[in-house]
Amino acid sequence: MNDLDRLVEPKKADIVYETDEPVRYEVDGAVAHVIMNRPQFNNAQNSQMTYALDEAFQRAVNDDDVHVIVLRGEGKHFSAGHDIGTPGRDVAKSWDRKLLLPDHTNKPGAEFLYTREHEVYLGMCRRWRDMPKPTIAAVQGACIAGGLMLAWVCDLIVATDDAFFQDPVNRMGIPGVEYFAHGFELPPRIAKEFILLGERMSAERAYNFGMVNRLSTRDTLLADVKKMADELATRPRLGNWLTKQALNHVEELRGKRSASDAVFHMHHFAHAQSDLTSRNSLGGMDAKSMAAANKKQAGDN
Ligand code: ZN
């Protein structure tokens, strides 16, 4: 059994992309919209999407006429998380990296995922969080696990009243998703509940303790985000950049980077333990069994 079998991955040759455009890029005045575009898979993030997101963000940063960046998802849900089961799951594929990291695909054992997730999850999230323009996540429906990471790297979050947030990876024996911002986004006891039980958290509850800036509805989400973005776009460009840096710096002083470094390694210890004990780095779970467990849990509540 080779490493790829252990990870229960489709081989490179088996990857079937349903679209060449997993991310759309649109500009409305001074606002760039970066739109996740895999609605038939609830915007599950494969690497094809991750690198397309990075390219779109780079484009928005390069364009001096763009002052604000909105991140949103096409379809019913913002994002169901990382792709762990669509035909376009492309964990075994090589990419031109954006960080100074080696290719992961020829690495043995735990080094394979460790190298890959350094780049596409932890590294990308940090890179996007520090973009020099204000970012707004427009969240509807599910914002799960890898979806949370994308919403959390944005400066502001507007969510519909039917949106929910969830990190269910404790079911896989993993202490939260790769970009561990839970202890900063949520009050500590709520963060423990959020990860330990892995339940859905309503947008309203998230709003009540400040993880969400504004509540909206499906009908008004885009208009509400537009109002906020257009207002931000009237402010001095450098002022917007300095303001977000100021608050990001305070988070760094509170230890955000070192906390997420530490937990990234726990996350990979968990992947490796799963791999050693069940020959599957996701604790024996897959997209189907995770969805079934989440559905059952939501029904039980
Ligand atoms: Zn992982």
Side-chain angles (χ1 to χ4, degrees), residues 56-121:
F57 289 139
Q58 186 75 63
R59 188 170 166 187
V61 166
N62 287 349
D63 185 347
D64 282 345
D65 292 331
V66 165
H67 290 228
V68 179
I69 300 164
V70 171
L71 173 64
R72 57 188 177 88
E74 186 63 50
K76 207 171 159 202
H77 299 288
F78 178 77
S79 174
H82 296 143
D83 188 340
I84 58 171
T86 83
R89 188 181 189 205
D90 53 5
V91 176
K93 193 170 182 307
S94 295
W95 298 85
D96 287 333
R97 273 87 55 203
K98 298 292 175 182
L99 307 172
L100 282 171
L101 289 164
D103 181 33
H104 66 285
T105 59
N106 61 352
K107 299 298 180 289
E111 191 180 359
F112 177 98
L113 272 190
Y114 181 75
T115 306
R116 174 175 187 269
E117 297 194 350
H118 248 293
E119 159 92 1
V120 294
Y121 298 151

Side-chain angles (χ1 to χ4, degrees), residues 266-286:
M266 294 179 202
H267 178 103
H268 277 276
F269 176 61
H271 275 316
Q273 169 71 355
S274 287
D275 203 356
L276 284 167
T277 57
S278 68
R279 311 299 281 174
N280 172 314
S281 58
L282 302 180
M285 303 296 282
D286 59 18

Side-chain angles (χ1 to χ4, degrees), residues 31 33 70 136-139 158 216 220-230:
V31 181
H33 286 250
V70 171
I136 305 173
V139 178
V158 181
S216 186
T220 56
L221 181 65
L222 287 183
D224 287 345
V225 168
K226 179 175 170 54
K227 201 173 161 204
M228 192 183 248
D230 286 348

